[in-house]
Structure formats: C-alpha cells, structure tokens
Amino acid sequence: MTSYYQEYSKYFVAVDCIIFGFDEGELRILIGKRKLNPGRGQWSLYGGFVREEESIDDAANRVLFELTGLRNIYMRQLGAFGNINRDPGERVISVAYYALINVNDYSHTLLEEHSVEWVSIKDIPTMYSDHNKMIARARSMMQKTISSEPISFNLLPELFTLTQLQRLYEAVCGEEVDKRNFRKRVKEMAFIEKTDFIDKTGSKRGAYLYRFNQKAFQKNSIFKL
C-alpha cells in the first residue's frame, strides 16, 4: 500500500450475490442465516469482502464458487448499494451481482455445508440490511433482460419442454402468457431446437424436449420472446 490519500477515510467494500434458480415451476433464491454479527441469525444473501488483491468481479466469482462449486456461470453486476447506515457494523459499500444456475447442478452437500436453502421468490422473508432491495432490483433487471437475451436457458436443464420454458418465463415476469402465442413465437426461433427425445413424466403421450442452440443464436442476435 502507498501513503497516498491518508487524509481520507477508509471504507469496506463487499460483494453480495443474488443467486436465482428455477424448480417445480417456481423462481427461487439461495439464502441463509447470517453466522456473524451484526445481524447474526437474520436471513441474508451470501457475500463477502473484497480482498486487497481482487477486483470486484474476481471477488464475486470467488464468492459464487465458494457457495456453489460452479465456474463460468451466468453473472451480471447489479449495482452498488452505499447508504451510510446500511450496515450497522461499519461503513460498508456493497456491489451486488445476480447469477443464474440450474438447481440440479447444485450439490445438496453444499446446501448443508453453507446452511443455505432455496426459497421461492414469493416467500422471501425480511432480510438483513438492504438485501430485500437487492433482490427486488435483480428481479426487475431479469424481467427487462429475459425478452432481449436468452438468459432463461441458464436456469433450465440442457433438455427442456416448452411447458417448462413457458413456466419459467411466467415465474420471472410474474404474469401468465397465452400458451398458443408463446409457442408460436418460440417455434419461430431457430436457436430453440426441437430434439427427438420425449419427456413422459407428465403424461403417457409425453412432450418433445428442446434445447438451446448457441451457434444459431450467435447468427441471429435479435431475441424477442
């Protein structure tokens, strides 16, 4: 460290991660109880302080990997939260990120190890500090992004039904969509590829499984669901 800026106060910088998953037709968030003061025992997002040798993106990637064991997952910076009294312990400025993962890729062992759980977006409890505001802003950003970027596929298994895709879209947006119109628009998208596989878990007749075609998407970057 240099001797510059000695006349200015020093503050803590942290990252907080809003991790979304999709399961049983519900948009879910990974949260747990705080294990340290201030706020021990309160519901909280998972986060950590930025280390001296890290960028904020590196810190967020580290925190996400510690919690999920996954790398190269979809992550976007949400913004900074810096109200003076947001943390009763010290002056802490937090940069929030939201990430999207397939819940089936997340180890149950890690759930127990970190004492976290998947909670429906409809049942989010009162959270520590301004974490409820972070969650609300993250969902708002997702709602704006889901119709312009193919982020949905980060929350689904590699093979999915059109019903699963529609339910995910409805869960993120918080409103129902017309089934016929939705499927018509989906089938016009070259990067949503129908396979020969059939899912028979919902009925004897079954439903065709689809997958996201990254190469086709890159050729046609206009996405509107």
Side-chain angles (χ1 to χ4, degrees):
M1 299 294 290
T2 69
S3 59
Y4 299 115
Y5 311 128
Q6 293 298 313
E7 67 271 29
Y8 296 103
S9 300
K10 304 296 191 295
Y11 306 115
F12 291 92
V13 178
V15 293
D16 283 297
C17 298
I18 304 102
I19 303 173
F20 288 101
F22 180 69
D23 188 37
E24 297 180 348
E26 295 272 357
L27 185 66
R28 301 179 186 273
I29 296 178
L30 201 59
I31 62 174
K33 298 286 186 72
R34 278 177 67 85
K35 299 179 182 179
L36 72 164
N37 285 317
R40 184 188 297 270
Q42 293 183 33
W43 287 104
S44 173
L45 296 170
Y46 198 83
F49 290 105
V50 179
R51 296 173 180 172
E52 196 170 306
E53 73 280 3
E54 290 180 319
S55 69
I56 54 174
D57 285 353
D58 288 341
N61 277 305
R62 170 179 55 81
V63 167
L64 285 170
F65 179 71
E66 289 174 356
L67 180 61
T68 67
L70 303 173
R71 295 192 187 276
N72 300 318
I73 63 180
Y74 180 94
M75 178 186 77
R76 291 293 183 271
Q77 188 181 122
L78 186 62
F81 293 74
N83 285 347
I84 294 173
N85 298 317
R86 63 172 301 274
D87 192 305
E90 293 284 353
R91 180 72 196 279
V92 180
I93 298 170
S94 181
V95 181
Y97 290 77
Y98 82 90
L100 310 177
I101 67 174
N102 181 347
V103 295
N104 295 322
D105 292 336
Y106 188 63
S107 166
H108 187 74
T109 301
L110 288 175
L111 277 175
E112 296 180 348
E113 179 181 330
H114 295 289
S115 300
V116 293
E117 58 187 85
W118 289 107
V119 176
S120 169
I121 191 73
K122 300 176 182 177
D123 302 317
I124 299 299
T126 299
M127 307 281 287
Y128 175 74
S129 184
D130 49 11
H131 290 187
N132 286 94
K133 292 181 179 179
M134 292 181 181
I135 292 170
R137 188 184 294 182
R139 190 184 187 190
S140 178
M141 183 177 286
M142 283 182 64
Q143 290 171 341
K144 294 175 183 176
T145 305
I146 196 169
S147 292
S148 59
E149 295 181 28
I151 62 172
S152 307
F153 308 108
N154 296 283
L155 295 163
L156 293 169
E158 182 179 355
L159 297 177
F160 53 86
T161 65
L162 293 185
T163 298
Q164 286 177 303
L165 181 61
Q166 180 178 336
R167 287 179 179 172
L168 170 58
Y169 187 83
E170 291 174 333
V172 171
C173 296
E175 60 184 16
E176 293 185 4
V177 298
D178 181 78
K179 178 178 178 180
R180 182 176 298 178
N181 289 337
F182 182 86
R183 296 196 172 203
K184 180 180 178 181
R185 283 179 286 174
V186 167
K187 290 178 179 179
E188 291 172 351
M189 299 173 184
F191 53 85
I192 299 180
E193 183 178 82
K194 185 178 180 181
T195 72
D196 294 327
F197 301 105
I198 296 177
D199 175 23
K200 293 188 177 181
T201 57
S203 67
K204 292 183 178 180
R205 181 181 178 183
Y208 277 102
L209 290 166
Y210 291 73
R211 61 187 166 204
F212 174 58
N213 187 320
Q214 179 69 37
K215 291 182 178 179
F217 172 73
Q218 290 173 343
K219 290 181 180 178
N220 180 12
S221 59
I222 300 175
F223 178 78
K224 188 70 174 177
L225 195 57

